Amino acid sequence: MPETLSPNPTPNPTPESTQERAVTVEPSGRHYSLLVAPSGGFLGFDENGASAVFSVAGDRVMWKREADGFLHVGSGRTAQSAGAGRITIDGRTLNERGQPVGDAAAFTVGHGPEQLPSEYLRYFKEHGWVCLTCILSPDVVDDLQRVACTDGHAEATPDRSTPQFSQSVALARTAAEPVSLWVIRQYMRTEDIRFAHTPALIVLTQDDGQRNVQGWHSDYPYHWGIPARGKVPTQAGDVVLGVQRNVCVSAFTKERGATAFKLGSHALDHGPPDSWGTAGAHARPGHRAAHGLPYNGPDADVIEAPPGSIILYDSRTWHRAGVNCTVQPRAAMLQAVTPMFVMPKNDTSGSYRHFIQSAAYRQLSVRERDEIRAMMVHRFLGPAGRDVITADAELTSIVDGSG
Ligand SMILES: [Fe+2]
């Protein structure tokens, strides 16, 4: 049983000294296509068979590229390219809403998923995690690496003068990635989901054999194993209160510090055992130098995935940051997603306010703007209706006794 295992005392990890099971996802090299309208919505067919543009990316907007057009996966119907981005179905040119009337609109071809959204959802429900392999387009991945200063941009210096989320449209575009959001909404059984904190790029540098590392824990809002207030009680029950969405900005490999998991542990509905070395224990100063690494034996798993992949996992899943044994910094973009009825972990209003005034915001499509606003703006009922929640520094100082 995992509870009987002790942390590995090895202070200087090498790929050989840690024994987690590597779960490697390989890219297929094949992707469905999205036909993207000027609004950023996706062309598909409604339940009556009429073509339309949708703001969500379920199976109904998946196409396969063919020699002279596209094959709709769900219906077997075809769409033809008519030049300049125009699309025709049954010989009729489509407008910006995907209807065969009015002015022709220019559609673009978007980078779609390797598998159908419903296939990802099925795997997620069965296993508590799923990897949407290489779902981001290479140009978006390169831009994320540029902001993180990793991979091909490792010689650059991170920009500390501007909030990170506003530094490139790639961050918001990734945060609004439509297939993973569809899967998350289905898994949580609610359309109304939020970011519990501003999406952030995190860089893991080479381990030095001494510094503290992250111990085992479950993510927000459960926070099992973490020295935080407001943990979700165990057993938490059937309602899903959190999905973690980790974007592999760099390649995730065991050597380079890919996240370690106890895959399937979400179903246990409680946190990791103390014997594995919790995040709470490992947060104490000097803990790692004195006690070694948290558990990294064969009952743990490491998901290895190419850059541009998105790993979704039920936030109850036991996990910890990996240990980077290479000189190459490894970047990830982390997002905690919750239903709207869960209180956010951090105040996202400041970074959203800055973002909507940035050049990055102006590059987003209407769909992407709508999605980011819906997920980063938290509201409750107030005198003016559905007021936006934001931090009140003055009130904080008053109630804390310093004002
Ligand atoms: Fe975590």
Side-chain angles (χ1 to χ4, degrees):
M1 290 295 290
E3 283 74 5
T4 65
L5 298 168
S6 299
N8 187 324
T10 308
N12 265 310
T14 65
E16 296 75 32
S17 71
T18 57
Q19 299 298 319
E20 301 103 332
R21 178 180 69 119
V23 179
T24 306
V25 289
E26 302 284 357
S28 72
R30 297 184 303 276
H31 290 265
Y32 291 111
S33 294
L34 302 169
L35 298 178
V36 185
S39 65
F42 311 106
L43 182 65
F45 294 101
D46 67 18
E47 36 305 321
N48 299 317
S51 59
V53 168
F54 300 90
S55 59
V56 295
D59 288 7
R60 66 170 50 168
V61 300
M62 296 296 140
W63 300 81
K64 279 184 183 169
R65 193 191 277 269
E66 296 193 315
D68 61 344
F70 301 89
L71 173 72
H72 186 251
V73 177
S75 67
R77 295 170 69 182
T78 58
Q80 282 71 45
S81 302
R86 289 172 300 166
I87 297 285
T88 63
I89 292 177
D90 299 332
R92 300 174 71 184
T93 307
L94 304 182
N95 68 12
E96 62 183 3
R97 299 204 300 211
Q99 300 162 329
V101 294
D103 295 337
F107 288 74
T108 56
V109 180
H111 180 91
E114 286 193 352
Q115 297 181 33
L116 290 175
S118 62
E119 293 174 315
Y120 288 129
L121 177 62
R122 193 177 312 123
Y123 190 94
F124 193 11
K125 284 180 173 176
E126 194 172 339
H127 300 278
W129 71 278
V130 65
C131 181
L132 284 61
T133 312
C134 296
I135 195 160
L136 299 179
S137 63
D139 59 315
V140 168
V141 176
D142 184 68
D143 227 24
L144 293 174
Q145 293 171 346
R146 184 179 59 75
V147 176
C149 298
T150 60
D151 299 272
H153 307 274
E155 303 305 317
T157 304
D159 178 1
R160 309 282 186 210
S161 64
T162 307
Q164 187 192 60
F165 194 68
S166 300
Q167 289 182 22
S168 164
V169 69
L171 277 85
R173 188 151 282 158
T174 299
E177 193 292 312
V179 177
S180 55
L181 289 182
W182 181 88
V183 173
I184 292 170
R185 287 185 165 110
Q186 295 293 316
Y187 186 80
M188 283 189 166
R189 294 178 286 163
T190 177
E191 292 295 306
D192 221 348
I193 59 175
R194 300 281 186 275
F195 288 128
H197 59 78
T198 301
L201 288 166
I202 304 293
V203 176
L204 186 69
T205 55
Q206 185 178 23
D207 186 63
D208 64 4
Q210 290 290 316
R211 71 185 185 203
N212 267 9
V213 299
Q214 190 182 53
W216 288 91
H217 64 282
S218 305
D219 272 333
Y220 192 80
Y222 300 96
H223 266 176
W224 299 330
I226 286 180
R229 301 178 66 180
K231 295 178 177 61
V232 175
T234 59
Q235 303 278 324
D238 289 337
V239 177
V240 179
L241 298 177
V243 166
Q244 190 71 17
R245 187 189 198 208
N246 287 2
V247 177
C248 306
V249 173
S250 307
F252 266 42
T253 65
K254 189 171 167 180
E255 294 78 10
R256 205 175 166 188
T259 311
F261 297 91
K262 174 62 179 170
L263 295 175
S265 56
H266 69 293
L268 299 171
D269 211 15
H270 62 73
D274 290 345
S275 62
W276 275 35
T278 63
H282 276 269
R284 295 179 198 128
H287 184 87
R288 186 270 183 91
H291 300 281
L293 293 171
Y295 176 72
N296 50 60
D299 276 3
D301 312 280
V302 168
I303 301 175
E304 299 191 315
S309 302
I310 295 181
I311 298 169
L312 304 178
Y313 59 90
D314 189 304
S315 299
R316 283 168 284 201
T317 309
W318 310 350
H319 67 282
R320 60 170 176 79
V323 177
N324 190 347
C325 303
T326 76
V327 297
Q328 297 175 291
R330 186 229 73 189
M333 183 169 145
L334 308 181
Q335 299 136 87
V337 183
T338 57
M340 62 76 63
F341 51 81
V342 168
M343 183 174 169
K345 181 183 180 198
N346 297 117
D347 182 15
T348 55
S349 66
S351 50
Y352 180 75
R353 180 192 276 264
H354 188 278
F355 175 64
I356 58 179
Q357 296 165 334
S358 70
Y361 179 77
R362 293 191 287 277
Q363 296 172 61
L364 291 181
S365 69
V366 171
R367 182 200 70 83
E368 290 166 331
R369 290 180 186 184
D370 288 349
E371 198 68 278
I372 296 299
R373 183 178 61 248
M375 296 195 63
M376 287 186 69
V377 176
H378 300 259
R379 297 171 183 267
F380 53 24
L381 290 177
R386 295 184 64 239
D387 286 350
V388 173
I389 303 171
T390 190
D392 185 331
E394 185 181 351
L395 180 59
T396 302
S397 66
I398 292 170
V399 299
D400 286 351
S402 56

